Amino acid sequence: MWQLFTIPFSHYCEKARWALDYSRRPYQERAYLPGLHLTATALRGHGKTVPMLKAGAEHLTDSSDILQFVDRERESGVPGLFGNDDAARSEVLRLEDWLDENLGPSTRLLAYHYLLDSIPTLVQVAGQGYGPLGKLSLGVTMRGLRGGIRKGYRITPDRAAQGEERVRKAFAETDARLAGSPFLVGSRFTAADLTLAALSGPVLMWPESIHRHDRQIVTQDPIELLPDSFKATVQSLRKTPTGQHAQRLYRDWRRVSS
Ligand SMILES: N[C@@H](CCC(=O)N[C@@H](CS)C(=O)NCC(=O)O)C(=O)O
C-alpha cells in the first residue's frame, strides 16, 4: 500500500493527505515527530521535508508533485483536481505554486511565532494527530527544537509582522478571485482551492479542518486556546471571504478515507 510520511500537523502534509483522501486511493499515514521525520527522509536520501509519498518504487518529496501523481492515479469516477482544459490546468498550477511560495511559509511563520512561546498550547492545538504518549513526546520535542525552529524559519517579531502582511495580501487576492465565483478557478473544486484551504490552516484553525484531517471529533474550537493577540488575528482572517471559503471547502470537499 502507498505510504504517506508526515508530521501530522504540517499544513503541506495536510495538503497531500487531502489529495490522497480525495482520490480514494488507499494509503497509510506514517506520522513522525518533528525532527524524527529525518529518519524516513534525509537519512535515506529522500530530501529533508515531509510530506513524502512512497508509492511502489517512487518517492515523491514535494506536495505539488504528490498532487499531480495522485490526480493521475485517482480512482475512476473521481473528478480531476486540475480543471477541465489546458487553460484551467495551467491557471490551477500557477495558483498552487503561488500559494505554496507566498502563503504557506507565512502562515507557518505566524503560527509558530505565537505558539512557540507556549508549548502546552501548541501541543493542544497541533497535537491532535498523536495519542497521549505522542502528545507528551511532542511537548518534549518542541521544547527541544524551538530554538532551532526559530532559527531555521528566521522567526522574529519583525518577520512575523511581515508574514501577517503577506497573508493579508494573499487573502486580498483570493478574496478578489472569489467575488462572484464559488471556486478559485472556473466553476469547480481544484487543487488551487485545496491548497488554499490546507495552507491557511495555521492561521484559520477551523474546527472542521482538524476534525476532517484527524478523523476525530473536535469539541472545542482551537481559537479558544490561542493567546489573545493571535486569537484576534485568526478571528479577523476567518471573517474574510477566503476564510469563509476555506471553512466551506472543509465542510463540503474534505472527504476522509475510511
Ligand atoms: N515545498 C515543500 C515544503 C514542505 C515543508 O516545508 N515541510 C515542512 C513541514 S511544514 C518540513 O518538513 N519541515 C521539516 C524540515 O525542514 O526539516 C512541499 O510542498 O512539500
Side-chain angles (χ1 to χ4, degrees):
M1 195 192 290
W2 290 355
Q3 293 186 315
L4 181 69
F5 294 79
T6 68
I7 294 170
F9 59 85
S10 143
H11 54 343
Y12 287 98
C13 292
E14 164 60 0
K15 178 185 160 194
R17 180 170 45 220
W18 185 340
L20 276 155
D21 286 336
Y22 177 84
S23 78
R24 297 182 191 252
R25 286 293 303 251
Y27 70 99
Q28 190 185 37
E29 180 168 350
R30 302 276 305 274
Y32 282 79
L33 285 167
L36 288 183
H37 71 283
L38 295 171
T39 60
T41 55
L43 292 182
R44 293 174 191 212
H46 301 307
K48 205 169 142 263
T49 58
V50 284
M52 177 182 79
L53 180 69
K54 182 175 180 318
E58 298 234 35
H59 285 86
L60 297 148
T61 58
D62 182 84
S63 63
S64 299
D65 294 342
I66 294 173
L67 258 61
Q68 289 186 50
F69 176 80
V70 161
D71 187 64
R72 284 196 298 276
E73 301 285 330
R74 69 189 187 272
E75 284 294 303
S76 66
V78 175
L81 277 173
F82 289 89
N84 286 327
D85 52 36
D86 286 350
R89 183 179 182 84
S90 53
E91 184 60 359
V92 172
L93 287 170
R94 190 192 67 75
L95 269 177
E96 184 194 354
D97 197 43
W98 174 75
L99 291 163
D100 278 349
E101 298 301 318
N102 286 283
L103 186 67
S106 299
T107 58
R108 175 173 56 202
L109 178 78
L110 215 51
Y112 270 146
H113 171 68
Y114 287 110
L115 295 178
L116 280 174
D117 282 336
S118 169
I119 299 292
T121 311
L122 189 149
V123 170
Q124 264 183 295
V125 171
Q128 328 254 340
Y130 301 94
L133 192 62
K135 282 198 172 75
L136 202 70
S137 319
L138 181 62
V140 173
T141 308
M142 295 312 281
R143 261 187 200 93
L145 289 182
R146 86 175 128 187
I149 294 176
R150 282 210 177 97
K151 205 165 156 209
Y153 291 131
R154 295 185 293 127
I155 301 170
T156 61
D158 277 357
R159 292 240 316 140
Q162 287 162 15
E164 178 165 346
E165 221 171 275
R166 234 175 275 134
V167 170
R168 290 192 183 279
K169 216 167 142 204
F171 271 33
E173 291 200 29
T174 47
D175 286 353
R177 289 189 78 100
L178 290 166
S181 169
F183 297 105
L184 285 177
V185 180
S187 55
R188 57 187 268 195
F189 175 69
T190 67
D193 298 293
L194 184 159
T195 302
L196 176 65
L199 297 188
S200 305
V203 296
L204 292 176
M205 299 195 192
W206 286 116
E208 289 86 350
S209 69
I210 293 163
H211 169 69
R212 296 296 198 285
H213 87 65
D214 204 33
R215 298 140 169 86
Q216 288 178 19
I217 303 296
V218 174
T219 49
Q220 190 178 17
D221 187 337
I223 203 169
E224 300 308 331
L225 305 167
L226 301 177
D228 286 344
S229 43
F230 191 29
K231 191 173 174 176
T233 303
V234 173
Q235 259 161 349
S236 82
L237 290 170
R238 279 184 176 186
K239 287 186 190 132
T240 61
T242 296
Q244 297 290 308
H245 182 59
Q247 185 185 38
R248 217 168 22 249
L249 292 171
Y250 265 101
R251 285 188 179 153
D252 298 345
W253 292 90
R254 182 67 177 93
R255 179 185 179 274
V256 174
S257 66
S258 43

